[in-house]
Amino acid sequence: AGAVAALLTAIQRRMFDSNEGCPGFLTTAPIQSSGKTAFFQLLFELVWGRTAAATNWSSSDEELGKHILAILLEGHGGVLFDNLEEGGQIESNALARAMTSPKFTGRVLGENTQATVPTNCLWCFTGNNISASGDFNTRILPISIDPGTENPDQRTFSRPDLAQWCEDHRTEF
């Protein structure tokens, strides 16, 4: 259900411009190579015709605020905070503002100017055994992946290049 909600939210997200915001999506698994990043990469490929703008998470709220502003200035439809620290929690005042307000304001890096940008992008997070905390429990929908094997990196699939298959069949979706 969370994966379907992520797909439908990605399709509609750019049309929302209100104080209500939209949920973010967190994909977690007990072990690496379970398909967390692959899920979002395929979702981005299907919706926007490109892979996710994957970026790192900063534990400093001030640095994360600068990072969020830079991401929003680029105008991406969605952003993927990939591979959060094992067992980490999503918590940030800057991210909370970005997820619940129609606009985000911050100081442009290297300049003495402020920028205000729309926040209508899809917020995605991946990591092993990660969770949302505090207010993010109501702002982020979790998607848990269990690969059903101790060695998920050794699995084989009927479509060895799923990204290419998605690109080739994107119009059907």
Side-chain angles (χ1 to χ4, degrees):
V4 172
L7 177 62
L8 295 175
T9 302
I11 292 167
Q12 298 284 326
R13 182 62 184 113
R14 298 300 264 183
M15 294 181 237
F16 295 124
D17 189 20
S18 67
N19 287 328
E20 295 154 2
C22 279
F25 295 90
L26 174 155
T27 302
T28 188
I31 190 169
Q32 68 183 23
S33 299
S34 298
K36 301 174 299 294
T37 302
F39 165 72
F40 284 122
Q41 292 292 11
L42 297 175
L43 181 143
F44 276 57
E45 187 67 48
L46 286 172
V47 175
W48 293 296
R50 63 165 183 82
T51 58
T55 190
N56 61 313
W57 180 262
S58 174
S59 57
S60 162
D61 200 49
E62 183 178 335
E63 288 301 313
L64 189 59
K66 293 174 188 175
H67 196 56
I68 289 169
L69 180 63
I71 289 166
L72 294 172
L73 281 169
E74 290 179 0
H76 294 286
V79 64
L80 172 58
F81 287 98
D82 200 15
N83 294 319
L84 275 72
E85 184 177 330
E86 169 104 24
Q89 293 188 333
I90 297 172
E91 50 188 340
S92 161
N93 290 331
L95 180 62
R97 282 188 300 125
M99 288 183 72
T100 58
S101 300
K103 307 271 186 213
F104 185 85
T105 300
R107 186 177 66 80
V108 178
L109 267 170
E111 297 181 18
N112 258 349
T113 60
Q114 296 275 328
T116 300
V117 290
T119 59
N120 58 348
C121 76
L122 183 70
W123 302 96
C124 307
F125 311 86
T126 70
N128 293 327
N129 303 304
I130 62 171
S131 62
S133 81
D135 287 344
F136 287 101
N137 286 317
T138 60
R139 295 179 179 152
I140 295 176
L141 295 177
I143 301 167
S144 296
I145 295 178
D146 182 354
T149 178
E150 291 181 19
N151 301 304
D153 58 325
Q154 296 176 10
R155 295 175 291 176
T156 58
F157 298 95
S158 60
R159 294 185 179 97
D161 190 350
L162 190 55
Q164 183 62 52
W165 184 88
C166 283
E167 184 178 326
D168 293 344
H169 294 85
R170 183 171 179 243
T171 56
E172 295 170 35
F173 287 95

